[in-house]
Amino acid sequence: MSARRRVGVLISGRGSNMKSLIDAAKAKDYPAEIVLVIGNRADAGGLAIAKDAGIPARMIAHRDFPSRAAFDAALDKTLKEARVELVCLAGFMRLLTPEFVEAWRDRMLNIHPSLLPEFPGLDTHARAIAAGKRVAGCTVHFVRAEMDTGPVIAQAEVPIEPGDTPDTLAARVLKAEHRLYPMALKLVAEGRVRVAGDKVEIADA
Ligand code: GAR
């Protein structure tokens, strides 16, 4: 098999999606390896999980930088030094500059806990319940400058059950996220994903 794609994961919090990628990449035939995790907050619990898994983990605190551009430049430099080829945002709660997004165009993925383009932004589960939806889900997409937009690579649906609260629904969606993200990254790392305009085309295996 050809070399595995080198992946950097950006996190802001607990890092459960990052962990699902690390676990998937343990399989010898998985086409990507996680070579670096970067957290932007000291309390990002995911950094400890990454270190325990033997993955280089760096804290780059956005507060230490005078501007968004300076922070993003530090991210870019660190990713390049680690020879990262693909970036996965996994609960990374910081808007990136258009310059950074453009530099990683079609090489940067994000996971979002709704069926985009429905419910971009925060509080997705409370909003889905309030809207009376019967189905919720999650989306993996290529990142574009506008928040939670970009060509969709994969989506998974989960039911909204009677009596669901945002927390019970979030837990059900999170389980689906942990299956979806490794699957979507695999497709991209295998080179089967092509962006055509606003859409993604997936080649047969
Ligand atoms: C996940 O549910 C992810 O989809 C969401 O934050 C959570 C992070 O959890 N991301 C967004 O809302 C991005 N717009 P994790 O740190 O355990 O992976």
Side-chain angles (χ1 to χ4, degrees):
M1 200 184 89
S2 58
R4 307 165 93 200
R5 300 272 76 78
R6 296 175 66 83
V7 174
V9 183
L10 305 192
I11 64 169
S12 297
R14 78 191 147 177
S16 72
N17 277 291
M18 170 210 73
K19 172 90 168 38
S20 77
L21 297 175
I22 291 173
D23 287 347
K26 282 183 187 155
K28 289 214 162 42
D29 61 350
Y30 194 77
E33 58 179 324
I34 313 304
V35 297
L36 176 67
V37 173
I38 301 175
N40 70 317
R41 298 168 58 110
D43 57 354
L47 283 178
I49 296 172
K51 278 185 193 148
D52 285 351
I55 312 275
R58 292 275 311 273
M59 224 293 270
I60 302 182
H62 61 272
R63 282 162 198 255
D64 291 346
F65 294 86
S67 65
R68 237 174 235 287
F71 171 66
D72 286 7
L75 286 183
D76 194 59
K77 184 165 178 281
T78 307
L79 292 166
K80 286 199 175 120
E81 280 168 0
R83 289 181 291 118
V84 163
E85 300 169 278
L86 295 169
V87 175
C88 287
L89 307 183
F92 185 71
M93 303 310 255
R94 216 112 177 116
L95 263 188
L96 295 160
T97 57
E99 290 73 22
F100 182 92
V101 172
E102 201 48 42
W104 290 92
R105 188 182 179 87
D106 299 342
R107 297 185 299 143
M108 180 158 57
L109 289 65
N110 179 46
I111 187 155
H112 181 76
S114 77
L115 295 169
L116 290 174
E118 276 197 319
F119 309 122
L122 299 175
D123 301 324
T124 52
H125 306 303
R127 287 155 64 206
I129 292 169
K133 306 292 291 186
R134 293 281 181 251
V135 176
C138 49
T139 302
V140 177
H141 62 98
F142 285 117
V143 176
R144 294 292 181 262
E146 203 177 322
M147 188 183 61
D148 300 328
T149 66
V152 170
I153 301 163
Q155 293 186 305
E157 285 184 355
V158 303
I160 298 179
E161 307 282 5
D164 259 341
T165 65
D167 284 349
T168 59
L169 179 57
R172 196 175 306 121
V173 172
L174 193 63
K175 276 193 193 159
E177 293 184 46
H178 295 163
R179 289 191 298 270
L180 189 72
Y181 212 173
M183 190 273 273
L185 175 60
K186 179 171 188 282
L187 290 174
V188 174
E190 285 172 342
R192 290 171 54 194
V193 173
R194 195 174 82 85
V195 179
D198 296 340
K199 297 203 182 83
V200 152
E201 288 171 357
I202 299 177
D204 291 339

